[in-house]
Amino acid sequence: MFHIGGALTAGGVLTAHVTLNEWRLTPSVLLIGPVLTSARKGPKATAGVVIWSLVLFVTWTVALSVADRHGSALSPATVVFDSLVLVIGGGAAVYGARRRVQREAELHRVVQRSRDAVLRPLAAEADGVVFSSLYRPVSEFGLGGDLYDLAHTPYGPRLLIGDVRGHGPEAAVLCAATVGAFREGAGGTPALVDLAAHLDTRISGDLGPEDFVTVLLAEFAPGEVRLVNCGHPAPLRIGLRAEPLAPSRPSAPLGLGPRPQLQRARLGVGERLLLYTDGLSEARDAQGTMLPLDDRVREAACLPLVQECLDALLSLATAHAGGSLQDDLALIMCERRCATPTGDGGRTPGPSLVRDRYL
């Protein structure tokens, strides 16, 4: 804080000396520091720079009066007037910083409430499956390009995770549109492949020329999970080892003409399924090496508590990236606790929609 004030003041002094050929500190010069500080820092930091400027002005004035160099000593009235100008201008800078911080805090609260309405934290159990989520956007206001949602449907619990191209407000709007389309269609679309087509149709009007959304849909039935993958990283089944459940035929993301197939994968009691965005798999170290989904990921995903697993995975990705993630990150951990029937609605769709084999 004081380094900032000192550097700005010194720059102002040198500028005044070069232009006016005198070593006088004026309120306009000394207010440079508080004004610039108020634009980036809070009221306390700004007040500190104001105090620094005022002390420097008084000290400088006294030193010039003692030296009386070039007849530059100021009259007491001038000193008092300049001090008042500095105090009033500094107070205005502190007030401006306070107002800016309040506006940013209010904006952050609004964004947080809006984000929580779209990306509701998951901490639920449905049909014998426990779900838990973790979300870390890189934006300071919490606006990111990752999305997820859970729907309780007649066909069993259905899960969505996805990643919008880009970051920031535009990506957040597309996230909201995708989640809204999922909530609209999840309970009334029997086939998971048709649900993906529904999402693609519904968000088409919100996509720009270069926009797309990778999504993974999961539907949980007794002993298995059904997956539809549109260009998204393959989930990991965590058992004796971490197995990626990649589709046999990759599909394009939403917005680029997706043609996904339905997968069926075994998910027994005690097994876990990790769904994630590329903020995990593409976290890079200083050399550009991506985080390998190896035994360290499996160890983190096998901790006793599901939320502990997510926290450990976040720590692993952050440490690999050098302490700061460069991309949004969403994680969902699902654990099969018991084999609970889902009723008639949970029956497997017809053979034209299902690959009749287990992964």
Side-chain angles (χ1 to χ4, degrees):
M1 176 178 63
F2 292 113
H3 295 298
I4 296 173
L8 292 172
T9 302
V13 171
L14 291 175
T15 302
H17 177 65
V18 170
T19 56
L20 303 176
N21 196 27
E22 63 178 50
W23 290 99
R24 182 186 171 190
L25 286 178
T26 63
S28 59
V29 170
L30 289 169
L31 284 174
I32 295 175
V35 170
L36 293 182
T37 304
S38 68
R40 298 296 300 273
K41 303 292 183 179
K44 290 184 178 180
T46 305
V49 176
V50 171
I51 294 172
W52 167 273
S53 300
L54 185 60
V55 169
L56 184 60
F57 172 71
V58 173
T59 304
W60 192 277
T61 302
V62 170
L64 287 182
S65 299
V66 172
D68 196 25
R69 184 177 182 182
H70 303 302
S72 56
L74 302 177
S75 66
T78 302
V79 173
V80 172
F81 178 79
D82 287 352
S83 298
L84 286 175
V85 171
L86 186 56
V87 169
I88 294 172
V94 172
Y95 177 76
R98 180 172 177 270
R99 291 284 296 169
R100 179 184 55 78
V101 169
Q102 288 176 338
R103 287 195 299 269
E104 290 179 354
E106 180 61 27
L107 176 61
H108 190 274
R109 285 192 292 270
V110 171
V111 170
Q112 183 73 33
R113 288 194 293 267
S114 301
R115 190 193 75 184
D116 289 344
V118 176
L119 301 180
R120 299 170 294 197
L122 302 184
E125 181 172 354
D127 286 7
V129 182
V130 173
F131 302 92
S132 188
S133 66
L134 183 148
Y135 177 59
R136 286 295 182 276
V138 294
S139 167
E140 60 178 322
F141 290 111
L143 293 173
D146 290 357
L147 59 101
Y148 62 85
D149 199 35
L150 173 66
H152 304 279
T153 76
Y155 321 105
R158 283 181 167 178
L159 194 62
L160 163 75
I161 189 169
D163 189 356
V164 172
R165 177 184 177 273
H167 306 280
E170 294 82 5
V173 170
L174 193 48
C175 282
T178 307
V179 171
F182 173 75
R183 292 174 182 174
E184 177 185 62
T189 309
L192 209 57
V193 170
D194 291 342
L195 179 57
H198 169 79
L199 298 182
D200 186 55
T201 300
R202 292 290 292 151
I203 70 170
S204 60
D206 298 295
L207 294 172
E210 299 181 356
D211 290 338
F212 60 85
V213 185
T214 69
V215 298
L216 175 67
L217 296 169
E219 178 182 282
F220 295 84
E224 70 174 8
V225 59
R226 302 160 189 159
L227 303 170
V228 168
N229 193 328
C230 298
H232 198 78
L236 292 178
R237 179 172 55 195
I238 311 296
L240 296 178
R241 56 194 178 95
E243 305 171 78
L245 301 179
S248 60
R249 189 186 72 184
S251 167
L254 303 185
L256 299 179
R259 299 183 62 185
Q261 290 182 329
L262 185 67
Q263 300 170 255
R264 298 173 63 193
R266 170 187 48 80
L267 189 67
V269 175
E271 291 186 313
R272 290 174 173 174
L273 187 70
L274 174 64
L275 290 76
Y276 57 92
T277 58
D278 58 12
L280 176 70
S281 56
E282 296 184 7
R284 299 176 185 271
D285 60 16
Q287 288 71 43
T289 304
M290 293 190 294
L291 174 68
L293 302 182
D294 54 14
D295 288 341
R296 293 180 301 164
V297 170
R298 181 186 175 276
E299 289 173 4
C302 286
L303 293 175
L305 299 180
V306 173
Q307 192 58 49
E308 283 183 338
C309 298
L310 300 181
D311 293 337
L313 289 167
L314 173 62
S315 298
L316 181 62
T318 303
H320 182 80
S324 178
L325 293 175
Q326 301 303 311
D327 195 4
D328 303 322
L329 174 64
L331 302 172
I332 301 177
M333 185 69 78
C334 318
E335 180 181 356
R336 170 72 70 184
R337 293 285 175 85
C338 61
T340 302
T342 58
D344 293 340
R347 288 199 301 261
T348 302
S352 62
L353 298 175
V354 176
R355 292 166 51 208
D356 261 338
R357 70 182 184 85
Y358 285 94
L359 301 176

